[in-house]
Amino acid sequence: QGVSSAASDVYKRQAFVAAQHAASLNLNGSVYVVGGDGIRDELQQAGVEVAQEPPGGLEPACTAEEFVNDLVPDSNIKAVIVGCDSSFTYRKICYASRCIQAGAVFISTNLDAGDMHGGVLMPGAGACVGAICSALGRDEPDVNCGKPSSIMLSVIRDSRGVDLSR
């Protein structure tokens, strides 16, 4: 069963907010994405460079030797954005954690653990974010762009001209 149009709209809004926030940071570098094409599209529309996949590409496995010797982060990566990734792999956890350990800002599109689809709970972005947090020994990312964050409110205010006093 496919993703409902309402859920798809929510994913697009969260990707938009994360991309706008990344653009506001003036990173002077690229962003590694653990997530869907929607995040990459929003980053490109916001004028933010999207990093290439790590050595080994989308191969799911990653040995300790590869982690240490081959998954050396590109020094141009200044942030890692994590959203819901239907092709989430151990290699992506490894590379994202290496990038963050090297100083990249850890940004989540949202912390929703899961979403209901067809009457069952399907893992959401929070599951991917949680795996990377766990790998880093931390409780949360540096920045959460999802509801009810102040970042989401700021992006909506600035991009849509919303008067918050009203």
Side-chain angles (χ1 to χ4, degrees), residues 32 51 54 67 71-74 77-80 93-105 136:
Y32 176 61
F67 180 75
L71 288 184
V72 177
D74 178 339
I77 295 175
K78 305 301 182 195
V80 174
I93 296 171
C94 289
Y95 194 63
S97 73
R98 287 289 311 261
C99 292
I100 295 162
Q101 290 177 68
V105 179
L136 292 165

Side-chain angles (χ1 to χ4, degrees), residues 82-131:
V82 182
C84 190
D85 188 335
S86 62
S87 60
F88 193 61
T89 65
Y90 187 68
R91 181 175 294 274
K92 288 182 182 183
I93 296 171
C94 289
Y95 194 63
S97 73
R98 287 289 311 261
C99 292
I100 295 162
Q101 290 177 68
V105 179
F106 182 7
I107 302 170
S108 69
T109 61
N110 68 89
L111 298 174
D112 298 342
D115 299 300
M116 292 300 289
H117 293 285
V120 295
L121 186 63
M122 181 175 179
C128 298
V129 172

Side-chain angles (χ1 to χ4, degrees), residues 44-165:
Q44 290 171 342
Q45 289 177 26
V48 177
E49 180 185 348
V50 177
Q52 299 296 315
E53 288 299 325
L58 297 176
E59 179 69 30
C62 178
T63 66
E65 184 178 321
E66 287 176 301
F67 180 75
V68 172
N69 297 322
D70 300 334
L71 288 184
V72 177
D74 178 339
S75 62
N76 193 44
I77 295 175
K78 305 301 182 195
V80 174
I81 294 182
V82 182
C84 190
D85 188 335
S86 62
S87 60
F88 193 61
T89 65
Y90 187 68
R91 181 175 294 274
K92 288 182 182 183
I93 296 171
C94 289
Y95 194 63
S97 73
R98 287 289 311 261
C99 292
I100 295 162
Q101 290 177 68
V105 179
F106 182 7
I107 302 170
S108 69
T109 61
N110 68 89
L111 298 174
D112 298 342
D115 299 300
M116 292 300 289
H117 293 285
V120 295
L121 186 63
M122 181 175 179
C128 298
V129 172
I132 294 169
C133 283
S134 182
L136 292 165
R138 23 189 338 190
D139 294 328
E140 57 189 35
D142 297 319
V143 178
N144 172 39
C145 294
K147 60 189 182 318
S149 75
S150 59
I151 291 171
M152 180 174 264
L153 189 59
S154 297
V155 168
I156 292 169
R157 178 197 63 216
D158 296 345
S159 66
R160 303 290 188 246
V162 174
D163 180 357
L164 297 182
S165 68

Side-chain angles (χ1 to χ4, degrees), residues 22-39:
S24 77
L25 296 176
N26 297 315
L27 296 168
N28 197 26
S30 63
V31 173
Y32 176 61
V33 174
V34 177
D37 289 336
I39 299 170

